[in-house]
PDB file of all heavy atoms in Angstrom:
ATOM      1  N   LEU C 100      60.529  93.072  62.542  1.00  0.00           N
ATOM      2  CA  LEU C 100      60.211  92.811  61.142  1.00  0.00           C
ATOM      3  C   LEU C 100      61.150  93.633  60.274  1.00  0.00           C
ATOM      4  O   LEU C 100      61.305  94.835  60.491  1.00  0.00           O
ATOM      5  CB  LEU C 100      58.754  93.190  60.871  1.00  0.00           C
ATOM      6  CG  LEU C 100      58.147  92.801  59.546  1.00  0.00           C
ATOM      7  CD1 LEU C 100      58.049  91.278  59.448  1.00  0.00           C
ATOM      8  CD2 LEU C 100      56.761  93.408  59.402  1.00  0.00           C
ATOM      9  N   ARG C 101      61.803  92.984  59.292  1.00  0.00           N
ATOM     10  CA  ARG C 101      62.772  93.686  58.437  1.00  0.00           C
ATOM     11  C   ARG C 101      62.101  94.565  57.393  1.00  0.00           C
ATOM     12  O   ARG C 101      62.622  95.624  57.058  1.00  0.00           O
ATOM     13  CB  ARG C 101      63.677  92.683  57.729  1.00  0.00           C
ATOM     14  CG  ARG C 101      64.781  92.156  58.571  1.00  0.00           C
ATOM     15  CD  ARG C 101      65.849  91.447  57.762  1.00  0.00           C
ATOM     16  NE  ARG C 101      65.330  90.601  56.719  1.00  0.00           N
ATOM     17  CZ  ARG C 101      65.529  89.292  56.629  1.00  0.00           C
ATOM     18  NH1 ARG C 101      66.231  88.685  57.540  1.00  0.00           N
ATOM     19  NH2 ARG C 101      65.024  88.601  55.639  1.00  0.00           N
ATOM     20  N   GLU C 102      60.982  94.110  56.830  1.00  0.00           N
ATOM     21  CA  GLU C 102      60.298  94.879  55.781  1.00  0.00           C
ATOM     22  C   GLU C 102      58.805  94.619  55.870  1.00  0.00           C
ATOM     23  O   GLU C 102      58.375  93.589  56.394  1.00  0.00           O
ATOM     24  CB  GLU C 102      60.847  94.515  54.411  1.00  0.00           C
ATOM     25  CG  GLU C 102      60.753  93.055  54.079  1.00  0.00           C
ATOM     26  CD  GLU C 102      61.528  92.685  52.823  1.00  0.00           C
ATOM     27  OE1 GLU C 102      62.712  93.023  52.736  1.00  0.00           O
ATOM     28  OE2 GLU C 102      60.925  92.046  51.964  1.00  0.00           O
ATOM     29  N   PRO C 103      57.989  95.537  55.347  1.00  0.00           N
ATOM     30  CA  PRO C 103      56.531  95.362  55.423  1.00  0.00           C
ATOM     31  C   PRO C 103      56.068  94.091  54.711  1.00  0.00           C
ATOM     32  O   PRO C 103      56.693  93.627  53.764  1.00  0.00           O
ATOM     33  CB  PRO C 103      55.983  96.599  54.705  1.00  0.00           C
ATOM     34  CG  PRO C 103      57.077  97.608  54.790  1.00  0.00           C
ATOM     35  CD  PRO C 103      58.360  96.822  54.760  1.00  0.00           C
ATOM     36  N   VAL C 104      54.949  93.558  55.187  1.00  0.00           N
ATOM     37  CA  VAL C 104      54.374  92.327  54.655  1.00  0.00           C
ATOM     38  C   VAL C 104      52.913  92.590  54.316  1.00  0.00           C
ATOM     39  O   VAL C 104      52.218  93.299  55.057  1.00  0.00           O
ATOM     40  CB  VAL C 104      54.470  91.197  55.712  1.00  0.00           C
ATOM     41  CG1 VAL C 104      53.790  89.942  55.227  1.00  0.00           C
ATOM     42  CG2 VAL C 104      55.903  90.929  56.084  1.00  0.00           C
ATOM     43  N   GLU C 105      52.439  92.021  53.193  1.00  0.00           N
ATOM     44  CA  GLU C 105      51.034  92.162  52.803  1.00  0.00           C
ATOM     45  C   GLU C 105      50.383  90.796  52.681  1.00  0.00           C
ATOM     46  O   GLU C 105      51.016  89.836  52.254  1.00  0.00           O
ATOM     47  CB  GLU C 105      50.919  92.909  51.478  1.00  0.00           C
ATOM     48  CG  GLU C 105      51.307  94.363  51.586  1.00  0.00           C
ATOM     49  CD  GLU C 105      51.043  95.128  50.299  1.00  0.00           C
ATOM     50  OE1 GLU C 105      50.795  94.504  49.247  1.00  0.00           O
ATOM     51  OE2 GLU C 105      51.098  96.362  50.360  1.00  0.00           O
ATOM     52  N   VAL C 106      49.093  90.748  53.059  1.00  0.00           N
ATOM     53  CA  VAL C 106      48.295  89.530  52.923  1.00  0.00           C
ATOM     54  C   VAL C 106      47.133  89.867  51.994  1.00  0.00           C
ATOM     55  O   VAL C 106      46.334  90.750  52.307  1.00  0.00           O
ATOM     56  CB  VAL C 106      47.753  89.052  54.295  1.00  0.00           C
ATOM     57  CG1 VAL C 106      46.911  87.800  54.131  1.00  0.00           C
ATOM     58  CG2 VAL C 106      48.888  88.829  55.273  1.00  0.00           C
ATOM     59  N   PRO C 107      47.030  89.185  50.845  1.00  0.00           N
ATOM     60  CA  PRO C 107      45.907  89.455  49.932  1.00  0.00           C
ATOM     61  C   PRO C 107      44.562  89.176  50.591  1.00  0.00           C
ATOM     62  O   PRO C 107      44.477  88.473  51.599  1.00  0.00           O
ATOM     63  CB  PRO C 107      46.159  88.487  48.765  1.00  0.00           C
ATOM     64  CG  PRO C 107      47.595  88.129  48.863  1.00  0.00           C
ATOM     65  CD  PRO C 107      47.944  88.185  50.324  1.00  0.00           C
ATOM     66  N   ARG C 108      43.522  89.702  49.992  1.00  0.00           N
ATOM     67  CA  ARG C 108      42.184  89.548  50.570  1.00  0.00           C
ATOM     68  C   ARG C 108      41.565  88.197  50.218  1.00  0.00           C
ATOM     69  O   ARG C 108      41.991  87.537  49.279  1.00  0.00           O
ATOM     70  CB  ARG C 108      41.281  90.687  50.114  1.00  0.00           C
ATOM     71  CG  ARG C 108      41.077  90.739  48.635  1.00  0.00           C
ATOM     72  CD  ARG C 108      40.397  92.030  48.243  1.00  0.00           C
ATOM     73  NE  ARG C 108      40.076  91.975  46.834  1.00  0.00           N
ATOM     74  CZ  ARG C 108      38.920  92.306  46.340  1.00  0.00           C
ATOM     75  NH1 ARG C 108      37.970  92.742  47.140  1.00  0.00           N
ATOM     76  NH2 ARG C 108      38.692  92.226  45.060  1.00  0.00           N
ATOM     77  N   ARG C 109      40.565  87.827  51.000  1.00  0.00           N
ATOM     78  CA  ARG C 109      39.715  86.648  50.795  1.00  0.00           C
ATOM     79  C   ARG C 109      40.462  85.370  50.432  1.00  0.00           C
ATOM     80  O   ARG C 109      40.696  85.077  49.275  1.00  0.00           O
ATOM     81  CB  ARG C 109      38.668  86.929  49.737  1.00  0.00           C
ATOM     82  CG  ARG C 109      37.732  88.039  50.110  1.00  0.00           C
ATOM     83  CD  ARG C 109      36.433  87.917  49.371  1.00  0.00           C
ATOM     84  NE  ARG C 109      35.647  89.118  49.462  1.00  0.00           N
ATOM     85  CZ  ARG C 109      34.806  89.406  50.455  1.00  0.00           C
ATOM     86  NH1 ARG C 109      34.664  88.570  51.436  1.00  0.00           N
ATOM     87  NH2 ARG C 109      34.117  90.520  50.449  1.00  0.00           N
ATOM     88  N   GLY C 110      40.837  84.619  51.449  1.00  0.00           N
ATOM     89  CA  GLY C 110      41.443  83.323  51.207  1.00  0.00           C
ATOM     90  C   GLY C 110      42.538  82.987  52.199  1.00  0.00           C
ATOM     91  O   GLY C 110      42.837  83.749  53.119  1.00  0.00           O
ATOM     92  N   VAL C 111      43.134  81.829  51.974  1.00  0.00           N
ATOM     93  CA  VAL C 111      44.269  81.377  52.774  1.00  0.00           C
ATOM     94  C   VAL C 111      45.509  81.562  51.910  1.00  0.00           C
ATOM     95  O   VAL C 111      45.559  81.077  50.781  1.00  0.00           O
ATOM     96  CB  VAL C 111      44.101  79.898  53.191  1.00  0.00           C
ATOM     97  CG1 VAL C 111      45.306  79.424  53.980  1.00  0.00           C
ATOM     98  CG2 VAL C 111      42.827  79.722  54.007  1.00  0.00           C
ATOM     99  N   HIS C 112      46.491  82.288  52.425  1.00  0.00           N
ATOM    100  CA  HIS C 112      47.660  82.660  51.634  1.00  0.00           C
ATOM    101  C   HIS C 112      48.945  82.286  52.367  1.00  0.00           C
ATOM    102  O   HIS C 112      49.018  82.343  53.587  1.00  0.00           O
ATOM    103  CB  HIS C 112      47.653  84.164  51.352  1.00  0.00           C
ATOM    104  CG  HIS C 112      46.391  84.631  50.717  1.00  0.00           C
ATOM    105  ND1 HIS C 112      46.131  84.453  49.382  1.00  0.00           N
ATOM    106  CD2 HIS C 112      45.301  85.239  51.237  1.00  0.00           C
ATOM    107  CE1 HIS C 112      44.935  84.951  49.104  1.00  0.00           C
ATOM    108  NE2 HIS C 112      44.407  85.433  50.217  1.00  0.00           N
ATOM    109  N   ARG C 113      49.946  81.965  51.590  1.00  0.00           N
ATOM    110  CA  ARG C 113      51.287  81.681  52.104  1.00  0.00           C
ATOM    111  C   ARG C 113      52.036  83.013  52.127  1.00  0.00           C
ATOM    112  O   ARG C 113      52.185  83.670  51.094  1.00  0.00           O
ATOM    113  CB  ARG C 113      51.972  80.685  51.177  1.00  0.00           C
ATOM    114  CG  ARG C 113      53.287  80.217  51.658  1.00  0.00           C
ATOM    115  CD  ARG C 113      53.788  79.113  50.718  1.00  0.00           C
ATOM    116  NE  ARG C 113      54.955  78.488  51.250  1.00  0.00           N
ATOM    117  CZ  ARG C 113      56.190  78.809  50.880  1.00  0.00           C
ATOM    118  NH1 ARG C 113      56.403  79.721  49.960  1.00  0.00           N
ATOM    119  NH2 ARG C 113      57.215  78.189  51.429  1.00  0.00           N
ATOM    120  N   VAL C 114      52.519  83.400  53.299  1.00  0.00           N
ATOM    121  CA  VAL C 114      53.159  84.700  53.469  1.00  0.00           C
ATOM    122  C   VAL C 114      54.540  84.498  54.095  1.00  0.00           C
ATOM    123  O   VAL C 114      54.669  83.813  55.110  1.00  0.00           O
ATOM    124  CB  VAL C 114      52.307  85.618  54.382  1.00  0.00           C
ATOM    125  CG1 VAL C 114      52.965  86.961  54.563  1.00  0.00           C
ATOM    126  CG2 VAL C 114      50.907  85.779  53.815  1.00  0.00           C
ATOM    127  N   VAL C 115      55.554  85.111  53.491  1.00  0.00           N
ATOM    128  CA  VAL C 115      56.913  85.053  54.031  1.00  0.00           C
ATOM    129  C   VAL C 115      57.157  86.338  54.824  1.00  0.00           C
ATOM    130  O   VAL C 115      57.027  87.444  54.293  1.00  0.00           O
ATOM    131  CB  VAL C 115      57.957  84.922  52.900  1.00  0.00           C
ATOM    132  CG1 VAL C 115      59.364  84.908  53.473  1.00  0.00           C
ATOM    133  CG2 VAL C 115      57.689  83.669  52.077  1.00  0.00           C
ATOM    134  N   THR C 116      57.489  86.174  56.106  1.00  0.00           N
ATOM    135  CA  THR C 116      57.755  87.329  56.961  1.00  0.00           C
ATOM    136  C   THR C 116      59.238  87.339  57.341  1.00  0.00           C
ATOM    137  O   THR C 116      59.706  86.409  57.974  1.00  0.00           O
ATOM    138  CB  THR C 116      56.882  87.288  58.236  1.00  0.00           C
ATOM    139  OG1 THR C 116      57.166  86.106  58.955  1.00  0.00           O
ATOM    140  CG2 THR C 116      55.413  87.346  57.899  1.00  0.00           C
ATOM    141  N   PRO C 117      59.984  88.365  56.928  1.00  0.00           N
ATOM    142  CA  PRO C 117      61.419  88.432  57.250  1.00  0.00           C
ATOM    143  C   PRO C 117      61.651  89.114  58.606  1.00  0.00           C
ATOM    144  O   PRO C 117      61.160  90.206  58.851  1.00  0.00           O
ATOM    145  CB  PRO C 117      61.980  89.284  56.112  1.00  0.00           C
ATOM    146  CG  PRO C 117      60.834  90.164  55.711  1.00  0.00           C
ATOM    147  CD  PRO C 117      59.579  89.390  55.985  1.00  0.00           C
ATOM    148  N   TRP C 118      62.397  88.469  59.493  1.00  0.00           N
ATOM    149  CA  TRP C 118      62.658  88.972  60.841  1.00  0.00           C
ATOM    150  C   TRP C 118      64.155  89.079  61.082  1.00  0.00           C
ATOM    151  O   TRP C 118      64.938  88.332  60.524  1.00  0.00           O
ATOM    152  CB  TRP C 118      62.049  88.035  61.883  1.00  0.00           C
ATOM    153  CG  TRP C 118      60.574  87.932  61.774  1.00  0.00           C
ATOM    154  CD1 TRP C 118      59.868  87.040  61.021  1.00  0.00           C
ATOM    155  CD2 TRP C 118      59.614  88.769  62.407  1.00  0.00           C
ATOM    156  NE1 TRP C 118      58.524  87.268  61.150  1.00  0.00           N
ATOM    157  CE2 TRP C 118      58.339  88.317  62.003  1.00  0.00           C
ATOM    158  CE3 TRP C 118      59.699  89.846  63.277  1.00  0.00           C
ATOM    159  CZ2 TRP C 118      57.163  88.918  62.443  1.00  0.00           C
ATOM    160  CZ3 TRP C 118      58.530  90.439  63.721  1.00  0.00           C
ATOM    161  CH2 TRP C 118      57.280  89.980  63.302  1.00  0.00           C
ATOM    162  N   LYS C 119      64.527  90.006  61.947  1.00  0.00           N
ATOM    163  CA  LYS C 119      65.912  90.115  62.410  1.00  0.00           C
ATOM    164  C   LYS C 119      65.868  90.179  63.933  1.00  0.00           C
ATOM    165  O   LYS C 119      64.854  90.558  64.518  1.00  0.00           O
ATOM    166  CB  LYS C 119      66.596  91.352  61.830  1.00  0.00           C
ATOM    167  CG  LYS C 119      65.969  92.663  62.245  1.00  0.00           C
ATOM    168  CD  LYS C 119      66.657  93.839  61.630  1.00  0.00           C
ATOM    169  CE  LYS C 119      65.895  95.115  61.992  1.00  0.00           C
ATOM    170  NZ  LYS C 119      66.496  96.280  61.397  1.00  0.00           N
ATOM    171  N   TRP C 120      66.966  89.792  64.564  1.00  0.00           N
ATOM    172  CA  TRP C 120      66.993  89.874  66.020  1.00  0.00           C
ATOM    173  C   TRP C 120      68.356  90.320  66.508  1.00  0.00           C
ATOM    174  O   TRP C 120      69.358  90.222  65.811  1.00  0.00           O
ATOM    175  CB  TRP C 120      66.599  88.549  66.677  1.00  0.00           C
ATOM    176  CG  TRP C 120      67.481  87.385  66.360  1.00  0.00           C
ATOM    177  CD1 TRP C 120      68.743  87.144  66.808  1.00  0.00           C
ATOM    178  CD2 TRP C 120      67.167  86.296  65.508  1.00  0.00           C
ATOM    179  NE1 TRP C 120      69.224  85.986  66.306  1.00  0.00           N
ATOM    180  CE2 TRP C 120      68.275  85.440  65.498  1.00  0.00           C
ATOM    181  CE3 TRP C 120      66.050  85.957  64.753  1.00  0.00           C
ATOM    182  CZ2 TRP C 120      68.302  84.263  64.770  1.00  0.00           C
ATOM    183  CZ3 TRP C 120      66.083  84.793  64.034  1.00  0.00           C
ATOM    184  CH2 TRP C 120      67.193  83.960  64.049  1.00  0.00           C
ATOM    185  N   ARG C 121      68.321  90.847  67.735  1.00  0.00           N
ATOM    186  CA  ARG C 121      69.533  91.259  68.451  1.00  0.00           C
ATOM    187  C   ARG C 121      69.461  90.643  69.832  1.00  0.00           C
ATOM    188  O   ARG C 121      68.469  90.780  70.538  1.00  0.00           O
ATOM    189  CB  ARG C 121      69.584  92.780  68.598  1.00  0.00           C
ATOM    190  CG  ARG C 121      70.111  93.522  67.427  1.00  0.00           C
ATOM    191  CD  ARG C 121      70.359  94.998  67.759  1.00  0.00           C
ATOM    192  NE  ARG C 121      69.375  95.570  68.668  1.00  0.00           N
ATOM    193  CZ  ARG C 121      68.283  96.229  68.292  1.00  0.00           C
ATOM    194  NH1 ARG C 121      68.028  96.401  67.031  1.00  0.00           N
ATOM    195  NH2 ARG C 121      67.466  96.726  69.179  1.00  0.00           N
ATOM    196  N   ILE C 122      70.537  89.967  70.201  1.00  0.00           N
ATOM    197  CA  ILE C 122      70.606  89.364  71.528  1.00  0.00           C
ATOM    198  C   ILE C 122      71.188  90.398  72.480  1.00  0.00           C
ATOM    199  O   ILE C 122      72.271  90.930  72.247  1.00  0.00           O
ATOM    200  CB  ILE C 122      71.462  88.086  71.505  1.00  0.00           C
ATOM    201  CG1 ILE C 122      70.790  87.056  70.593  1.00  0.00           C
ATOM    202  CG2 ILE C 122      71.657  87.535  72.909  1.00  0.00           C
ATOM    203  CD1 ILE C 122      71.626  85.846  70.318  1.00  0.00           C
ATOM    204  N   GLY C 123      70.445  90.685  73.547  1.00  0.00           N
ATOM    205  CA  GLY C 123      70.895  91.681  74.506  1.00  0.00           C
ATOM    206  C   GLY C 123      71.840  91.120  75.553  1.00  0.00           C
ATOM    207  O   GLY C 123      72.859  91.710  75.863  1.00  0.00           O
ATOM    208  N   ASP C 124      71.502  89.967  76.111  1.00  0.00           N
ATOM    209  CA  ASP C 124      72.288  89.362  77.176  1.00  0.00           C
ATOM    210  C   ASP C 124      72.343  87.851  76.943  1.00  0.00           C
ATOM    211  O   ASP C 124      71.350  87.151  77.166  1.00  0.00           O
ATOM    212  CB  ASP C 124      71.635  89.675  78.526  1.00  0.00           C
ATOM    213  CG  ASP C 124      72.433  89.162  79.710  1.00  0.00           C
ATOM    214  OD1 ASP C 124      73.402  88.401  79.503  1.00  0.00           O
ATOM    215  OD2 ASP C 124      72.077  89.519  80.846  1.00  0.00           O
ATOM    216  N   PRO C 125      73.486  87.318  76.483  1.00  0.00           N
ATOM    217  CA  PRO C 125      73.572  85.887  76.163  1.00  0.00           C
ATOM    218  C   PRO C 125      73.279  84.969  77.351  1.00  0.00           C
ATOM    219  O   PRO C 125      72.648  83.919  77.181  1.00  0.00           O
ATOM    220  CB  PRO C 125      75.008  85.708  75.680  1.00  0.00           C
ATOM    221  CG  PRO C 125      75.441  87.063  75.252  1.00  0.00           C
ATOM    222  CD  PRO C 125      74.708  88.029  76.123  1.00  0.00           C
ATOM    223  N   LEU C 126      73.716  85.330  78.549  1.00  0.00           N
ATOM    224  CA  LEU C 126      73.441  84.486  79.714  1.00  0.00           C
ATOM    225  C   LEU C 126      71.949  84.479  80.051  1.00  0.00           C
ATOM    226  O   LEU C 126      71.388  83.439  80.404  1.00  0.00           O
ATOM    227  CB  LEU C 126      74.263  84.939  80.915  1.00  0.00           C
ATOM    228  CG  LEU C 126      75.775  84.715  80.773  1.00  0.00           C
ATOM    229  CD1 LEU C 126      76.500  85.290  81.975  1.00  0.00           C
ATOM    230  CD2 LEU C 126      76.081  83.247  80.590  1.00  0.00           C
ATOM    231  N   ALA C 127      71.306  85.636  79.925  1.00  0.00           N
ATOM    232  CA  ALA C 127      69.859  85.704  80.162  1.00  0.00           C
ATOM    233  C   ALA C 127      69.118  84.910  79.086  1.00  0.00           C
ATOM    234  O   ALA C 127      68.089  84.297  79.368  1.00  0.00           O
ATOM    235  CB  ALA C 127      69.392  87.152  80.183  1.00  0.00           C
ATOM    236  N   LEU C 128      69.650  84.896  77.860  1.00  0.00           N
ATOM    237  CA  LEU C 128      69.039  84.104  76.783  1.00  0.00           C
ATOM    238  C   LEU C 128      69.088  82.616  77.131  1.00  0.00           C
ATOM    239  O   LEU C 128      68.115  81.895  76.913  1.00  0.00           O
ATOM    240  CB  LEU C 128      69.745  84.366  75.451  1.00  0.00           C
ATOM    241  CG  LEU C 128      69.232  83.573  74.253  1.00  0.00           C
ATOM    242  CD1 LEU C 128      67.767  83.906  73.980  1.00  0.00           C
ATOM    243  CD2 LEU C 128      70.084  83.869  73.029  1.00  0.00           C
ATOM    244  N   TYR C 129      70.194  82.156  77.681  1.00  0.00           N
ATOM    245  CA  TYR C 129      70.316  80.763  78.091  1.00  0.00           C
ATOM    246  C   TYR C 129      69.268  80.418  79.162  1.00  0.00           C
ATOM    247  O   TYR C 129      68.556  79.420  79.061  1.00  0.00           O
ATOM    248  CB  TYR C 129      71.732  80.480  78.604  1.00  0.00           C
ATOM    249  CG  TYR C 129      71.899  79.094  79.144  1.00  0.00           C
ATOM    250  CD1 TYR C 129      71.946  77.999  78.289  1.00  0.00           C
ATOM    251  CD2 TYR C 129      71.999  78.877  80.510  1.00  0.00           C
ATOM    252  CE1 TYR C 129      72.077  76.720  78.789  1.00  0.00           C
ATOM    253  CE2 TYR C 129      72.141  77.602  81.019  1.00  0.00           C
ATOM    254  CZ  TYR C 129      72.175  76.523  80.154  1.00  0.00           C
ATOM    255  OH  TYR C 129      72.302  75.256  80.648  1.00  0.00           O
ATOM    256  N   ALA C 130      69.157  81.269  80.204  1.00  0.00           N
ATOM    257  CA  ALA C 130      68.183  81.039  81.275  1.00  0.00           C
ATOM    258  C   ALA C 130      66.755  81.119  80.727  1.00  0.00           C
ATOM    259  O   ALA C 130      65.885  80.323  81.103  1.00  0.00           O
ATOM    260  CB  ALA C 130      68.386  82.058  82.388  1.00  0.00           C
ATOM    261  N   PHE C 131      66.535  82.064  79.814  1.00  0.00           N
ATOM    262  CA  PHE C 131      65.226  82.258  79.171  1.00  0.00           C
ATOM    263  C   PHE C 131      64.821  80.988  78.417  1.00  0.00           C
ATOM    264  O   PHE C 131      63.705  80.488  78.581  1.00  0.00           O
ATOM    265  CB  PHE C 131      65.354  83.461  78.225  1.00  0.00           C
ATOM    266  CG  PHE C 131      64.150  83.778  77.400  1.00  0.00           C
ATOM    267  CD1 PHE C 131      63.123  84.552  77.908  1.00  0.00           C
ATOM    268  CD2 PHE C 131      64.055  83.352  76.086  1.00  0.00           C
ATOM    269  CE1 PHE C 131      62.029  84.885  77.134  1.00  0.00           C
ATOM    270  CE2 PHE C 131      62.973  83.676  75.301  1.00  0.00           C
ATOM    271  CZ  PHE C 131      61.953  84.441  75.830  1.00  0.00           C
ATOM    272  N   SER C 132      65.734  80.435  77.614  1.00  0.00           N
ATOM    273  CA  SER C 132      65.397  79.254  76.813  1.00  0.00           C
ATOM    274  C   SER C 132      65.167  78.031  77.707  1.00  0.00           C
ATOM    275  O   SER C 132      64.308  77.205  77.409  1.00  0.00           O
ATOM    276  CB  SER C 132      66.475  78.984  75.775  1.00  0.00           C
ATOM    277  OG  SER C 132      67.699  78.711  76.392  1.00  0.00           O
ATOM    278  N   ARG C 133      65.905  77.922  78.793  1.00  0.00           N
ATOM    279  CA  ARG C 133      65.683  76.804  79.732  1.00  0.00           C
ATOM    280  C   ARG C 133      64.309  76.903  80.368  1.00  0.00           C
ATOM    281  O   ARG C 133      63.606  75.910  80.503  1.00  0.00           O
ATOM    282  CB  ARG C 133      66.761  76.786  80.805  1.00  0.00           C
ATOM    283  CG  ARG C 133      68.086  76.274  80.237  1.00  0.00           C
ATOM    284  CD  ARG C 133      68.999  75.916  81.310  1.00  0.00           C
ATOM    285  NE  ARG C 133      68.315  75.022  82.259  1.00  0.00           N
ATOM    286  CZ  ARG C 133      68.911  74.065  82.916  1.00  0.00           C
ATOM    287  NH1 ARG C 133      70.185  73.860  82.730  1.00  0.00           N
ATOM    288  NH2 ARG C 133      68.262  73.321  83.769  1.00  0.00           N
ATOM    289  N   ARG C 134      63.913  78.125  80.775  1.00  0.00           N
ATOM    290  CA  ARG C 134      62.583  78.327  81.379  1.00  0.00           C
ATOM    291  C   ARG C 134      61.482  77.949  80.387  1.00  0.00           C
ATOM    292  O   ARG C 134      60.510  77.306  80.739  1.00  0.00           O
ATOM    293  CB  ARG C 134      62.388  79.784  81.796  1.00  0.00           C
ATOM    294  CG  ARG C 134      63.104  80.192  83.036  1.00  0.00           C
ATOM    295  CD  ARG C 134      62.266  79.798  84.245  1.00  0.00           C
ATOM    296  NE  ARG C 134      62.976  80.066  85.457  1.00  0.00           N
ATOM    297  CZ  ARG C 134      62.589  80.945  86.360  1.00  0.00           C
ATOM    298  NH1 ARG C 134      61.514  81.649  86.178  1.00  0.00           N
ATOM    299  NH2 ARG C 134      63.294  81.102  87.447  1.00  0.00           N
ATOM    300  N   LEU C 135      61.633  78.388  79.143  1.00  0.00           N
ATOM    301  CA  LEU C 135      60.625  78.061  78.133  1.00  0.00           C
ATOM    302  C   LEU C 135      60.542  76.550  77.916  1.00  0.00           C
ATOM    303  O   LEU C 135      59.459  75.993  77.763  1.00  0.00           O
ATOM    304  CB  LEU C 135      60.929  78.755  76.809  1.00  0.00           C
ATOM    305  CG  LEU C 135      60.728  80.261  76.768  1.00  0.00           C
ATOM    306  CD1 LEU C 135      61.136  80.811  75.410  1.00  0.00           C
ATOM    307  CD2 LEU C 135      59.295  80.631  77.081  1.00  0.00           C
ATOM    308  N   GLY C 136      61.682  75.880  77.891  1.00  0.00           N
ATOM    309  CA  GLY C 136      61.714  74.433  77.709  1.00  0.00           C
ATOM    310  C   GLY C 136      61.039  73.683  78.837  1.00  0.00           C
ATOM    311  O   GLY C 136      60.509  72.581  78.650  1.00  0.00           O
ATOM    312  N   GLN C 137      61.038  74.264  80.034  1.00  0.00           N
ATOM    313  CA  GLN C 137      60.434  73.628  81.203  1.00  0.00           C
ATOM    314  C   GLN C 137      59.004  74.111  81.444  1.00  0.00           C
ATOM    315  O   GLN C 137      58.414  73.806  82.472  1.00  0.00           O
ATOM    316  CB  GLN C 137      61.274  73.921  82.444  1.00  0.00           C
ATOM    317  CG  GLN C 137      62.670  73.359  82.371  1.00  0.00           C
ATOM    318  CD  GLN C 137      63.565  73.898  83.482  1.00  0.00           C
ATOM    319  OE1 GLN C 137      63.198  74.808  84.217  1.00  0.00           O
ATOM    320  NE2 GLN C 137      64.757  73.330  83.589  1.00  0.00           N
TER     321      GLN C 137
END
Side-chain angles (χ1 to χ4, degrees):
L100 190 66
R101 280 194 318 240
E102 57 190 52
V104 176
E105 291 186 347
V106 179
R108 62 191 187 133
R109 298 203 194 274
V111 178
H112 306 282
R113 186 174 189 262
V114 180
V115 178
T116 60
W118 298 90
K119 63 181 175 181
W120 61 73
R121 277 190 324 266
I122 297 171
D124 184 350
L126 292 176
L128 178 61
Y129 175 73
F131 176 84
S132 62
R133 286 195 51 147
R134 284 277 175 116
L135 289 177
Q137 297 169 351

